Amino acid sequence: MSKATITHIARALNVTPSTVSRALAGNPRVSEQTRLLVQAKAEELGYEPNVMASSLRKGVSNTVGMIVPRINRQFFGNVISGVEAILNPAGYNLLISQSHERVADEVKSVNTLLSHRVAGVLISHSIETTNFSHLQKVLDKGLVLVQFDRVAASLQGAQITNDCFNGAFLATKHLIKNGYKRIGHLGGTLLASVYLDRLKGYQAALNEAGLATGDELVFQDVITREAGFDAMQRVLAAGCDALYCAGDYAALGVIEYCRQQGIAIPGDFGVVGTANESFAPLIAPSLSTLEQNAFDMGNKVAEAFLDRVNGAIFSSHHTSIPMRLIVRDSSLRMQSKLIIET
Amino acid sequence: MSKATITHIARALNVTPSTVSRALAGNPRVSEQTRLLVQAKAEELGYEPNVMASSLRKGVSNTVGMIVPRINRQFFGNVISGVEAILNPAGYNLLISQSHERVADEVKSVNTLLSHRVAGVLISHSIETTNFSHLQKVLDKGLVLVQFDRVAASLQGAQITNDCFNGAFLATKHLIKNGYKRIGHLGGTLLASVYLDRLKGYQAALNEAGLATGDELVFQDVITREAGFDAMQRVLAAGCDALYCAGDYAALGVIEYCRQQGIAIPGDFGVVGTANESFAPLIAPSLSTLEQNAFDMGNKVAEAFLDRVNGAIFSSHHTSIPMRLIVRDSSLRMQSKLIIET
DNA sequence: GTTTTTTGTGCAAACGTTTGTATTTTTGCA
DNA sequence: TGCAAAAATACAAACGTTTGCACAAAAAAC
């Protein structure tokens, strides 16, 4: 069965467990000869190291905990992927947990991870979370904490976010360049810094161009497809000829409304979304959008973790990842042919 | 720092670690009074149980390993979600690993999980995998193995799959009911049973209806958007007026080709896809498709695991989950209004 | 008041590693 | 051949739990 411990190998070879341990670890204090013997025997017995025993003894574990609101969201799936791409080769494994956007679940997840004596916690906190004492506890225990996407500035440790301000700035500027004059904004809740930054970036671009800006052009809490669809009446009433949307789903609703009303996109109306959801290149017209670069973010998160675990506390505290504008059809002034930019 | 062990609590209370351990475990052999004392002290010291020490001693761990080809694929994200929904409340945690569709990575993942002494392995194997000795090893160690989606019939243990045969049967029948006469099939590699079953289900429906069936109507290895697009010339040359596609991406390619060529869907041509990818309801025309019910599958996987871990070896060996046909626009005979079914 | 039973704790070993120190063996060199 | 230095291995304790067994004190039964 699942026997085969270091001790079994030791007995079979008439050496001590210490020697076997060192042999397997490649410690130079054991001779080449016995190392080969040990490796052969380990292979023969189907030995699998017991990381629990090892971590217990060493006091450090090779698993790191990751908490995301929902694992089945494209964005987070990609972040996780990006993290694994760096962490696995470095010998770490990921214990993944979901908060389901609920602070209670998040707290429970943190405790579970602490029980597992993870080497660190990587988290994008739930939308509900406003009290961060559970994460402070992580820091207090001397563990590495890396926040990403949704971060609490008040907490120590690395923070990796998208550069939403510049992204929104870029997107809006792109609309301006394409000749749109009265550009509105479908935004999210301003309690989340990502949405606040997008609003600010959007406004900055308008200001720079000397275009009209004002509250009547900004529509708060419009992130779903339905909300985007429903908001269009007000958007048109406000005289807008384009929109920068803080989310692709809202932009989708906009496109559907226009199709239904016979408003040509991009002929009569321009749209840029945010997130590059998987449907963005697939709908008609294809949706110009800001790419969040989730995989990249995952890489950065993992690197920040490794930096800190290896004692590089000096590594930059806050990393902002540039968002890339993907120009597709929905934001061009003239109806163009199908251009796939990926 | 991260101190606070059972021993510390014991010392602070002038009792032995055994008593503390029993108190925290709710063992009736310790008095109500001391239990409360212990719990209070544990709280005060910020005690977090060390599951590694616990698992080591008990010989069983509360983590279960899960291996998927890619974590950032919608389907697998949802399966994982479904697994967690059952396993977390049962006290288990998930150690997740990706095979990246490479058999080498898969083998490595299995070994990692074995090193973590997981209670079981839940796996959908990589498309490359044809030799299953690494999974046999899992069984040999007496661990629980649950396969899902892509399964190897030769291996012991639970197998949870979608009922692709009946799904394809349903989808094809639906096209028949809507008046399509010469229905083709865009399929995947027949090495994977899911694709083989879909082909068979498709053929069964045609046979039942007495419609033409034949190799000239079946297009193998057409699963990507590009492949779907490119296959259309041959499909039309074969005289088809509808397609059942084994994947939504191929169906998307079909739709794009038709749009480009001015072929009306569903007026002139009908399409049903498979998987209900996130873009399916969002494109125009919206895509009729078979839902894979990933979350549900995750639930079943978790339940199969729990059954086995609790010794219910008699629980059904092979579970087949019905696929649901989602009728949208792409498969209706007459051009209908935009109907959103989600 | 003694014996039996019950109840609550303590003792000590074990899970599989790792690692500082001690010990043995080998090697180099006079 | 002898001896120090170097190389290889052994010893033993520790990581934080859990648990069978022993044991004492209290409660119940006689």
Side-chain angles (χ1 to χ4, degrees), chain A residues 123-275:
Chain A
I123 187 171
S124 174
H125 61 69
S126 93
I127 200 84
E128 270 188 17
T129 311
T130 52
N131 175 322
F132 300 98
S133 57
H134 53 301
L135 295 177
Q136 187 56 52
K137 186 160 81 176
V138 172
L139 291 170
D140 291 347
K141 293 203 187 268
L143 297 185
V144 174
L145 177 71
V146 180
Q147 300 181 80
F148 63 92
D149 191 43
R150 302 189 193 146
V151 305
S154 62
L155 289 167
Q156 289 279 358
Q159 303 180 10
I160 320 284
T161 52
N162 276 307
D163 187 351
C164 289
F165 178 89
N166 279 310
F169 184 84
L170 266 180
T172 310
K173 207 162 149 182
H174 163 73
L175 285 168
I176 296 171
K177 262 197 234 145
N178 276 269
Y180 296 99
K181 297 290 180 208
R182 196 166 165 81
I183 302 168
H185 175 54
L186 303 188
T189 167
L190 296 189
L191 296 175
S193 62
V194 287
Y195 291 122
L196 185 58
D197 289 350
R198 286 171 202 179
L199 172 60
K200 286 185 184 163
Y202 150 80
Q203 288 171 331
L206 293 182
N207 284 331
E208 195 197 59
L211 286 182
T213 155
D215 286 353
E216 72 278 11
L217 297 180
V218 175
F219 303 84
Q220 227 77 266
D221 276 316
V222 182
I223 42 168
T224 67
R225 180 183 174 191
E226 288 75 20
F229 190 97
D230 295 344
M232 276 307 283
Q233 284 200 330
R234 289 179 287 147
V235 168
L236 294 174
C240 294
D241 62 353
L243 278 173
Y244 163 60
C245 307
D248 279 350
Y249 282 95
L252 177 67
V254 168
I255 289 177
E256 286 182 330
Y257 181 91
C258 290
R259 180 162 60 216
Q260 202 167 301
Q261 301 291 317
I263 301 171
I265 292 182
D268 304 331
F269 200 91
V271 190
V272 176
T274 308

Side-chain angles (χ1 to χ4, degrees), chain A:
Chain A
M1 290 298 246
S2 123
K3 312 278 179 198
T5 75
I6 258 185
T7 317
H8 293 131
I9 302 179
R11 270 206 270 276
L13 257 43
N14 250 334
V15 295
T16 58
S18 8
T19 303
V20 175
S21 173
R22 283 193 255 257
L24 292 172
N27 188 313
R29 266 170 55 186
V30 38
S31 71
E32 178 75 13
Q33 178 179 292
T34 48
R35 165 154 6 106
L36 292 173
L37 242 49
V38 166
Q39 282 168 345
K41 202 51 148 186
E43 180 76 19
E44 178 193 334
L45 298 182
Y47 169 75
E48 300 283 349
N50 185 327
V51 302
M52 287 182 331
S54 168
S55 305
L56 178 59
R57 169 61 229 248
K58 291 201 284 191
V60 299
S61 105
N62 74 141
T63 58
V64 350
M66 187 157 182
I67 303 177
V68 296
R70 301 210 114 92
I71 208 171
N72 56 341
R73 212 125 79 194
Q74 192 69 21
F75 173 73
F76 290 116
N78 285 325
V79 176
I80 293 173
S81 238
V83 169
E84 285 221 312
I86 304 283
L87 246 40
N88 283 349
Y92 287 94
N93 293 105
L94 232 42
L95 208 49
I96 300 173
S97 218
Q98 307 184 72
S99 67
H100 302 105
E101 300 285 15
R102 284 189 296 255
V103 65
D105 283 23
E106 188 174 303
V107 171
K108 218 166 68 188
S109 292
V110 168
N111 289 332
T112 303
L113 295 180
L114 288 179
S115 284
H116 277 269
R117 295 294 187 271
V118 292
V121 173
L122 321 177
I123 187 171
S124 174
H125 61 69
S126 93
I127 200 84
E128 270 188 17
T129 311
T130 52
N131 175 322
F132 300 98
S133 57
H134 53 301
L135 295 177
Q136 187 56 52
K137 186 160 81 176
V138 172
L139 291 170
D140 291 347
K141 293 203 187 268
L143 297 185
V144 174
L145 177 71
V146 180
Q147 300 181 80
F148 63 92
D149 191 43
R150 302 189 193 146
V151 305
S154 62
L155 289 167
Q156 289 279 358
Q159 303 180 10
I160 320 284
T161 52
N162 276 307
D163 187 351
C164 289
F165 178 89
N166 279 310
F169 184 84
L170 266 180
T172 310
K173 207 162 149 182
H174 163 73
L175 285 168
I176 296 171
K177 262 197 234 145
N178 276 269
Y180 296 99
K181 297 290 180 208
R182 196 166 165 81
I183 302 168
H185 175 54
L186 303 188
T189 167
L190 296 189
L191 296 175
S193 62
V194 287
Y195 291 122
L196 185 58
D197 289 350
R198 286 171 202 179
L199 172 60
K200 286 185 184 163
Y202 150 80
Q203 288 171 331
L206 293 182
N207 284 331
E208 195 197 59
L211 286 182
T213 155
D215 286 353
E216 72 278 11
L217 297 180
V218 175
F219 303 84
Q220 227 77 266
D221 276 316
V222 182
I223 42 168
T224 67
R225 180 183 174 191
E226 288 75 20
F229 190 97
D230 295 344
M232 276 307 283
Q233 284 200 330
R234 289 179 287 147
V235 168
L236 294 174
C240 294
D241 62 353
L243 278 173
Y244 163 60
C245 307
D248 279 350
Y249 282 95
L252 177 67
V254 168
I255 289 177
E256 286 182 330
Y257 181 91
C258 290
R259 180 162 60 216
Q260 202 167 301
Q261 301 291 317
I263 301 171
I265 292 182
D268 304 331
F269 200 91
V271 190
V272 176
T274 308
N276 196 24
E277 298 284 353
S278 60
F279 63 80
L282 309 179
I283 57 178
S286 60
L287 178 62
S288 296
T289 189
L290 286 170
E291 174 152 46
Q292 299 215 53
N293 236 327
F295 190 86
D296 222 54
M297 175 174 277
N299 288 346
K300 291 276 192 301
V301 169
E303 283 161 6
F305 166 80
L306 289 177
D307 277 359
R308 264 138 238 272
V309 137
N310 297 329
I313 314 164
F314 51 86
S315 79
S316 86
H317 192 71
H318 191 300
T319 307
S320 195
I321 302 179
M323 298 183 89
R324 198 163 61 92
L325 176 67
I326 301 179
V327 177
R328 299 205 179 92
D329 290 344
S330 66
S331 61
L332 302 175
R333 195 49 167 167
M334 301 285 126
Q335 178 80 45
S336 75
K337 294 200 179 167
L338 191 75
I339 298 171
I340 300 171
E341 289 196 36
T342 34

